[in-house]
Amino acid sequence: MGLGAFAAISTQLGTTAYAMTVSAYVEAVKQVEIIFALLIGGLVFGEGARVRAIWPGCVVMLLGVVILLLGKG
């Protein structure tokens, strides 16, 4: 009975961890839209000064995506 209970708990925790990992990947991919927003804002709408002001934060977000992908391995 104890073995079955621990197997059930292990399955539940594993499923929860998997769901959390997938949602983390989704959030990371969503951050890539910031790059496109910067490019479109700078090239199409001529907001070069604003793009220069916020690009460091975008680089930090992209580094987070890279760290997440490297940690997957």
Side-chain angles (χ1 to χ4, degrees), residues 31-70:
Q31 299 303 319
V32 176
E33 74 183 72
I34 293 172
I35 296 171
F36 294 114
L38 285 176
L39 289 173
I40 292 170
L43 298 175
V44 176
F45 297 109
E47 296 182 351
R50 180 147 171 87
V51 169
R52 282 189 294 277
I54 61 174
W55 76 266
C58 295
V59 170
V60 170
M61 287 184 200
L62 288 177
L63 287 175
V65 172
V66 170
I67 290 170
L68 181 65
L69 291 175
L70 291 176

Side-chain angles (χ1 to χ4, degrees), residues 6-45:
F6 282 113
I9 291 169
S10 174
T11 300
Q12 180 60 41
L13 292 176
T15 303
T16 302
Y18 179 75
M20 291 173 68
T21 301
V22 170
S23 65
Y25 287 133
V26 169
E27 289 299 319
V29 170
K30 283 174 47 179
Q31 299 303 319
V32 176
E33 74 183 72
I34 293 172
I35 296 171
F36 294 114
L38 285 176
L39 289 173
I40 292 170
L43 298 175
V44 176
F45 297 109

